[in-house]
């Protein structure tokens, strides 16, 4: 069976709201989901969300919640009032914390009458290098994610095929650490090209500085699309 085509998520990691607006505008034909993380969110709060919503995009709120269960539950519940499509939490927070997030999403969507955001668990950060046991850690945390009823996980392209093999469509895979060439890693360690990540089975490919710090962001984004299309063809 032909796998589903990977979808691009663009990370708007900037403290400059106009830059974020321009990037979202430039990408809106090719990208439907935009990731707002601590840099943009702490700089501009809810106004940062309008940058995405004004262009008809959806929001991936990447605040990587990691706290006691009651706090994470309350945070996820509150996020339901913002109409976000996805929200992240750290799977290392444990089963009770994850269950808190699940309960928060149910209660929040009931309270605010909105769609339940997809809960995405962070396994091991892609900035961590290939230390021993890391692959197994990702699989172990994926099992925790699947058992606790959240929607998906964040992992690197190196682990995505194993996660997909074990959990198939039961866990959405979100893959950051994307670079057009393998040399330019910045602070990332477990990197891959868009083509490799797509071929490995990533449902979503998170692209940040490869596009946003490029001298020609539109061209860089086009290269990401071409990589995904190549993977789809092969
Ligand atoms: O610029 P770059 O492509 O490295 O950005 C990757 C984005 O994905 C950043 O916004 C980062 O916070 C996020 N991310 C990550 N690794 C994870 C989870 C999220 O790099 N495990």
């Amino acid at each position: 069976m032909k796998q589903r085509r990977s979808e691009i998520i663009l990370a708007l990691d900037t403290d400059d709201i106009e830059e974020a607006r321009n990037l979202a505008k430039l990408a809106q034909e090719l990208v439907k989901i935009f990731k707002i993380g601590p840099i943009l969110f702490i700089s501009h709060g809810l106004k940062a969300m309008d940058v995405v919503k004004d262009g008809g995009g959806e929001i991936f709120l990447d605040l990587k919640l990691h706290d006691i269960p009651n706090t994470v539950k309350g945070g996820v519940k509150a996020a339901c009032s913002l109409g976000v499509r996805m929200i992240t939490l750290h799977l290392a927070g444990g089963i009770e914390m994850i269950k808190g997030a699940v309960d928060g999403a149910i209660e929040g969507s009931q309270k605010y009458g909105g769609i339940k955001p997809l809960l995405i668990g962070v396994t091991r950060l892609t900035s961590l290098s290939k230390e021993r046991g890391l692959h197994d850690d990702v699989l172990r945390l994926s099992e925790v994610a699947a058992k606790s009823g959240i929607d998906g996980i964040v992992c690197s392209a190196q682990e995505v095929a194993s996660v997909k093999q074990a959990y198939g469509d039961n866990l959405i895979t979100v893959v950051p650490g994307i670079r057009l060439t393998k040399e330019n890693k910045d602070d990332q360690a477990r990197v891959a090209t868009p083509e490799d990540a797509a071929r490995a089975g990533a449902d979503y490919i998170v692209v940040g500085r490869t596009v946003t710090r490029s001298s020609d962001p539109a061209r860089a984004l086009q290269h990401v699309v071409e990589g995904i299309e190549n993977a789809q063809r092969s």
Side-chain angles (χ1 to χ4, degrees):
M1 194 179 69
K2 192 98 180 146
Q3 75 190 41
R4 205 173 20 198
R5 183 193 160 116
S6 310
E7 187 173 338
I8 300 171
I9 295 175
L10 185 65
L12 299 174
D13 290 328
T14 171
D15 60 3
D16 179 340
I17 198 157
E18 284 316 311
E19 186 188 355
R21 193 183 302 281
N22 290 337
L23 284 164
K25 218 177 202 165
L26 173 140
Q28 68 184 4
E29 293 299 314
L30 297 168
V31 178
K32 295 292 162 239
I33 305 177
F34 294 87
K35 190 168 84 68
I36 297 179
I39 302 176
L40 187 60
F41 191 71
I42 294 174
S43 300
H44 298 284
L46 298 184
K47 269 191 273 165
M49 307 231 168
D50 293 336
V51 161
V52 173
K53 288 183 184 168
D54 288 350
E58 294 187 285
I59 295 164
F60 175 7
L61 187 61
D62 185 21
L63 298 179
K64 296 189 179 64
L65 304 177
H66 189 173
D67 211 314
I68 58 170
N70 183 60
T71 302
V72 169
K73 178 180 173 182
V76 170
K77 189 172 169 182
C80 294
S81 71
L82 305 176
V84 301
R85 165 91 181 270
M86 293 174 159
I87 183 162
T88 45
L89 56 140
H90 267 289
L91 292 169
I95 197 91
E96 289 308 317
M97 189 207 81
I98 301 166
K99 282 185 182 156
V102 172
D103 290 346
I106 294 168
E107 286 182 24
S109 55
Q110 281 164 357
K111 178 169 181 187
Y112 299 107
I115 293 167
K116 206 156 64 70
L118 295 175
L119 295 173
I120 307 293
V122 177
T123 55
R124 299 296 304 275
L125 294 172
T126 43
S127 53
L128 298 171
S129 61
K130 291 181 182 168
E131 62 199 55
R132 258 207 357 229
L134 207 144
H135 192 274
D136 290 345
D137 280 354
V138 172
L139 282 177
R140 185 179 50 78
L141 288 166
S142 299
E143 189 181 353
V144 172
K147 280 189 176 153
S148 51
I150 67 168
D151 303 283
I153 58 137
V154 185
C155 66
S156 86
Q158 275 85 33
E159 300 101 32
V160 70
S162 306
V163 173
K164 276 286 157 193
Q165 195 178 17
Y167 301 103
D169 286 343
N170 291 332
L171 277 185
I172 293 167
T173 50
V174 178
V175 176
I178 300 299
R179 294 294 179 270
L180 289 172
T181 57
K182 284 186 176 145
E183 298 79 58
N184 173 22
K185 287 189 179 177
D186 302 308
D187 55 349
Q188 297 282 19
R190 298 187 340 273
V191 298
T193 62
E195 187 168 341
D196 287 346
R199 192 170 287 125
D203 295 303
Y204 293 94
I205 289 181
V206 179
V207 182
R209 286 163 289 185
T210 283
V211 167
T212 60
R213 293 285 162 258
S214 166
S215 56
D216 189 345
R219 189 151 175 262
L221 185 58
Q222 196 52 47
H223 283 144
V224 174
V225 172
E226 284 163 15
I228 294 170
E229 283 171 356
N230 286 343
Q232 193 74 12
R233 271 194 290 271
S234 58

